[in-house]
CSV table of all heavy atoms in Angstrom, one decimal:
chain,number,residue,atom,x,y,z
C,23,GLU,N,14.0,27.2,18.2
C,23,GLU,CA,13.8,28.0,19.4
C,23,GLU,C,12.4,28.5,19.5
C,23,GLU,O,11.8,28.6,20.6
C,23,GLU,CB,14.8,29.2,19.5
C,23,GLU,CG,16.3,28.8,19.6
C,23,GLU,CD,17.2,29.9,19.4
C,23,GLU,OE1,16.8,31.1,19.4
C,23,GLU,OE2,18.5,29.7,19.4
C,24,ILE,N,11.8,28.9,18.4
C,24,ILE,CA,10.4,29.4,18.4
C,24,ILE,C,9.6,28.5,17.4
C,24,ILE,O,9.8,28.6,16.2
C,24,ILE,CB,10.3,30.8,17.9
C,24,ILE,CG1,11.3,31.7,18.7
C,24,ILE,CG2,8.9,31.3,17.9
C,24,ILE,CD1,10.8,32.0,20.2
C,25,ASN,N,8.7,27.7,17.9
C,25,ASN,CA,7.9,26.8,17.0
C,25,ASN,C,6.5,27.5,16.9
C,25,ASN,O,5.7,27.5,17.8
C,25,ASN,CB,7.7,25.4,17.7
C,25,ASN,CG,6.8,24.5,16.8
C,25,ASN,OD1,6.7,24.7,15.6
C,25,ASN,ND2,6.2,23.6,17.5
C,26,LEU,N,6.3,28.0,15.7
C,26,LEU,CA,5.0,28.6,15.4
C,26,LEU,C,4.1,27.8,14.4
C,26,LEU,O,3.3,28.3,13.7
C,26,LEU,CB,5.2,30.0,14.8
C,26,LEU,CG,5.9,31.0,15.7
C,26,LEU,CD1,6.0,32.4,15.0
C,26,LEU,CD2,5.1,31.2,17.0
C,27,THR,N,4.3,26.4,14.4
C,27,THR,CA,3.6,25.6,13.5
C,27,THR,C,2.3,25.0,14.2
C,27,THR,O,1.5,24.4,13.5
C,27,THR,CB,4.5,24.4,13.0
C,27,THR,OG1,4.8,23.5,14.1
C,27,THR,CG2,5.7,25.0,12.3
C,28,GLU,N,2.2,25.1,15.5
C,28,GLU,CA,1.0,24.4,16.1
C,28,GLU,C,-0.2,25.2,15.9
C,28,GLU,O,-0.2,26.5,15.7
C,28,GLU,CB,1.3,24.3,17.6
C,28,GLU,CG,2.4,23.4,18.0
C,28,GLU,CD,2.3,22.0,17.5
C,28,GLU,OE1,1.1,21.5,17.3
C,28,GLU,OE2,3.3,21.3,17.3
C,29,SER,N,-1.4,24.5,15.9
C,29,SER,CA,-2.7,25.2,15.6
C,29,SER,C,-3.6,25.2,16.8
C,29,SER,O,-4.7,25.5,16.7
C,29,SER,CB,-3.4,24.6,14.4
C,29,SER,OG,-3.6,23.2,14.7
C,30,GLY,N,-3.1,24.7,18.0
C,30,GLY,CA,-3.9,24.6,19.2
C,30,GLY,C,-3.4,25.7,20.2
C,30,GLY,O,-2.6,26.5,19.9
C,31,VAL,N,-3.9,25.5,21.4
C,31,VAL,CA,-3.7,26.4,22.5
C,31,VAL,C,-2.5,25.9,23.3
C,31,VAL,O,-2.4,24.7,23.5
C,31,VAL,CB,-4.9,26.6,23.4
C,31,VAL,CG1,-4.6,27.5,24.6
C,31,VAL,CG2,-6.0,27.2,22.6
C,32,HIS,N,-1.7,26.8,23.9
C,32,HIS,CA,-0.5,26.4,24.7
C,32,HIS,C,-1.0,25.3,25.7
C,32,HIS,O,-2.0,25.5,26.4
C,32,HIS,CB,0.1,27.6,25.4
C,32,HIS,CG,1.3,27.2,26.2
C,32,HIS,ND1,2.5,26.8,25.6
C,32,HIS,CD2,1.5,27.2,27.5
C,32,HIS,CE1,3.4,26.6,26.6
C,32,HIS,NE2,2.8,26.8,27.8
C,33,PRO,N,-0.3,24.2,25.8
C,33,PRO,CA,-0.8,23.1,26.6
C,33,PRO,C,-1.1,23.3,28.1
C,33,PRO,O,-0.4,24.1,28.8
C,33,PRO,CB,0.3,22.0,26.5
C,33,PRO,CG,1.0,22.4,25.2
C,33,PRO,CD,1.0,23.9,25.1
C,34,CYS,N,-2.1,22.7,28.6
C,34,CYS,CA,-2.4,22.7,30.0
C,34,CYS,C,-1.5,21.7,30.7
C,34,CYS,O,-0.9,20.8,30.1
C,34,CYS,CB,-3.8,22.2,30.3
C,34,CYS,SG,-5.2,23.3,29.8
C,35,THR,N,-1.3,21.9,32.0
C,35,THR,CA,-0.7,21.0,32.9
C,35,THR,C,-1.7,20.1,33.6
C,35,THR,O,-2.9,20.5,33.7
C,35,THR,CB,0.2,21.7,33.9
C,35,THR,OG1,-0.6,22.5,34.8
C,35,THR,CG2,1.3,22.6,33.2
C,36,ILE,N,-1.3,19.0,34.2
C,36,ILE,CA,-2.2,18.2,35.0
C,36,ILE,C,-2.8,18.9,36.1
C,36,ILE,O,-4.0,18.8,36.5
C,36,ILE,CB,-1.5,16.9,35.4
C,36,ILE,CG1,-1.2,16.0,34.2
C,36,ILE,CG2,-2.4,16.1,36.4
C,36,ILE,CD1,-0.3,14.8,34.5
C,37,GLU,N,-2.0,19.8,36.8
C,37,GLU,CA,-2.5,20.5,38.0
C,37,GLU,C,-3.5,21.6,37.6
C,37,GLU,O,-4.3,22.0,38.4
C,37,GLU,CB,-1.4,21.1,38.8
C,37,GLU,CG,-0.5,22.2,38.1
C,37,GLU,CD,0.6,22.6,38.9
C,37,GLU,OE1,0.8,22.2,40.0
C,37,GLU,OE2,1.4,23.5,38.4
C,38,GLU,N,-3.6,22.0,36.3
C,38,GLU,CA,-4.6,22.9,35.8
C,38,GLU,C,-5.9,22.1,35.5
C,38,GLU,O,-7.0,22.7,35.4
C,38,GLU,CB,-4.1,23.6,34.6
C,38,GLU,CG,-3.1,24.6,34.8
C,38,GLU,CD,-2.6,25.3,33.5
C,38,GLU,OE1,-1.9,24.6,32.7
C,38,GLU,OE2,-3.0,26.4,33.2
C,39,ILE,N,-5.8,20.8,35.5
C,39,ILE,CA,-7.0,20.0,35.2
C,39,ILE,C,-7.6,19.4,36.4
C,39,ILE,O,-8.8,19.4,36.6
C,39,ILE,CB,-6.6,18.9,34.1
C,39,ILE,CG1,-6.2,19.5,32.8
C,39,ILE,CG2,-7.8,17.9,33.9
C,39,ILE,CD1,-5.6,18.5,31.9
C,40,LEU,N,-6.7,18.8,37.3
C,40,LEU,CA,-7.2,18.0,38.4
C,40,LEU,C,-6.9,18.7,39.7
C,40,LEU,O,-5.8,19.3,39.9
C,40,LEU,CB,-6.6,16.7,38.4
C,40,LEU,CG,-6.9,15.7,37.3
C,40,LEU,CD1,-6.1,14.4,37.5
C,40,LEU,CD2,-8.4,15.3,37.4
C,41,PRO,N,-7.7,18.6,40.7
C,41,PRO,CA,-7.3,19.0,42.1
C,41,PRO,C,-6.2,18.2,42.6
C,41,PRO,O,-5.9,17.1,42.1
C,41,PRO,CB,-8.6,18.7,42.9
C,41,PRO,CG,-9.7,18.6,42.0
C,41,PRO,CD,-9.1,18.1,40.7
C,42,ALA,N,-5.4,18.7,43.5
C,42,ALA,CA,-4.2,18.1,43.9
C,42,ALA,C,-4.4,16.6,44.4
C,42,ALA,O,-3.6,15.7,44.1
C,42,ALA,CB,-3.5,18.9,45.0
Side-chain angles (χ1 to χ4, degrees):
E23 295 172 8
I24 306 289
N25 177 26
L26 296 182
T27 66
E28 297 298 337
S29 60
V31 175
H32 183 69
C34 288
T35 62
I36 292 174
E37 64 184 358
E38 290 178 283
I39 298 170
L40 291 178

